[in-house]
Amino acid sequence: NWPQLLDGQMSVLKEGTLNRTKITENGKRLRKNWSSSHVVLTELLLLFFKDAKSFVAGISGPGRPEISVDLNGAVIEKGDKVSSRKNVYIISTVLCTQILIQDDCTQQAHSWHVAIQNAINNLPSR
Ligand code: I3P
């Protein structure tokens, strides 16, 4: 199992494999490009790594995340309307970036939804 602390700063709340695609970046629509990703949820960030190996390599080292989502002000909702896939959730950030996450296993997808929503609800107030 992974260390409790990531670079001594962030606790890992949940991690595992999910399909993901970015559909909007800074308000600009992107072409969907689904791929499998090693996803790491921390108290403040949702991180998407190429694979588990690059997560182990260290967040600031060679294994830095491909996508880093700031959970502050972010919203997660069901994404059925934006994809033909099942169990899709859409995460929208303050800076108008949107990521879809998906898993064929309804249970898995649901547990990620719950975990991410909880992390958003539990963000330290400023
Ligand atoms: C897209 C690809 C995506 C699909 C998307 C297509 O085509 O098939 O998988 O999204 O549908 O446009 P292309 O490979 O040519 O870019 P979903 O799998 O999420 O349905 P969309 O245009 O309705 O978003």
Side-chain angles (χ1 to χ4, degrees):
N1 254 334
W2 303 117
Q4 192 85 3
L5 295 176
L6 192 61
D7 276 10
Q9 294 205 27
M10 294 178 279
S11 317
V12 174
L13 302 176
K14 186 175 174 66
E15 66 173 296
T17 306
L18 282 177
N19 299 314
R20 58 88 177 153
T21 180
K22 199 186 274 184
I23 59 165
T24 314
E25 186 157 50
N26 301 322
K28 193 175 160 246
R29 292 246 349 226
L30 300 176
R31 185 172 181 174
K32 273 184 191 161
N33 183 19
W34 285 103
S35 62
S36 175
S37 201
H38 185 75
V39 186
V40 177
L41 175 65
T42 74
E43 285 161 43
L44 305 176
L45 301 171
L46 182 64
L47 306 168
F48 295 83
F49 292 84
K50 190 161 178 283
D51 47 37
K53 237 163 84 182
S54 52
F55 171 51
V56 180
I59 187 169
S60 52
R64 64 185 195 83
E66 294 178 317
I67 307 174
S68 170
V69 172
D70 184 355
L71 293 176
N72 235 306
V75 173
I76 182 166
E77 305 163 282
K78 288 211 128 208
D80 317 81
K81 283 171 207 140
V82 288
S83 176
S84 61
R85 295 189 174 208
K86 62 174 186 176
N87 310 323
V88 173
Y89 293 91
I90 179 166
I91 300 157
S92 306
T93 74
V94 171
L95 297 178
C96 295
T97 287
Q98 293 180 305
I99 316 275
L100 304 186
I101 56 171
Q102 186 266 344
D103 196 286
D104 285 338
C105 173
T106 305
Q107 197 84 37
Q108 283 292 334
H110 174 71
S111 80
W112 274 98
H113 181 209
V114 170
I116 293 167
Q117 186 62 66
N118 283 340
I120 291 171
N121 295 346
N122 294 330
L123 282 167
S125 49
R126 287 173 293 176

